[in-house]
């Protein structure tokens, strides 16, 4: 399949905001040159700024849309037969502590630092 077949892609895209970092100073110089030195020189610089924007828009044009891959038809399978579920088991009850077993110490957490004098 030729890359020319199918829908054509747009010729130009969005202008990158960072392009203005190059274009605005050129337009500023074009204005100064056009007003103080020579109008044609100012128009020449303005044309260069326009070409920068045009190139940036061309470079940021959207790519061609790839064709959607053909997916095979999905086969509906019957649901698996399962045995009826039973109610979930309860958590085991806590066993009482035997009479001679040692008592666990409480968990110690870090407190505020000691006060200094």
């Amino acid at each position: 399949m030729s890359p020319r077949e199918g829908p054509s892609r747009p010729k130009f895209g969005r202008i990158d905001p960072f392009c203005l970092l190059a274009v605005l100073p050129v337009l500023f110089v074009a204005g100064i040159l056009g007003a103080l030195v020579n109008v044609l020189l100012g128009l020449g610089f303005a044309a260069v700024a326009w070409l920068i924007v045009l190139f940036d828009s061309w470079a940021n044009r959207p790519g061609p849309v790839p064709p959607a891959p053909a997916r095979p038809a999905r086969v509906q399978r019957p649901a698996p037969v399962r045995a009826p579920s039973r109610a979930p088991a309860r958590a085991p009850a806590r066993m009482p502590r035997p009479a001679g077993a040692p008592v666990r110490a409480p968990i110690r957490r870090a407190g505020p630092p000691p006060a200094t004098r």
Side-chain angles (χ1 to χ4, degrees), residues 39-59:
V39 175
L40 290 177
L41 194 59
L43 289 175
F45 270 77
V48 169
W50 181 77
L51 287 174
I52 292 172
V53 171
L54 190 68
F55 174 75
D56 181 69
S57 178
W58 176 80

Side-chain angles (χ1 to χ4, degrees), residues 19-34 41-53:
C19 173
L20 297 177
L21 292 175
V23 170
L24 291 179
V26 174
L27 285 177
F28 180 71
V29 169
I32 291 175
L33 287 176
L41 194 59
L43 289 175
F45 270 77
V48 169
W50 181 77
L51 287 174
I52 292 172
V53 171

Side-chain angles (χ1 to χ4, degrees), residues 77-82:
R77 297 185 192 140
V81 179
R82 297 182 182 187

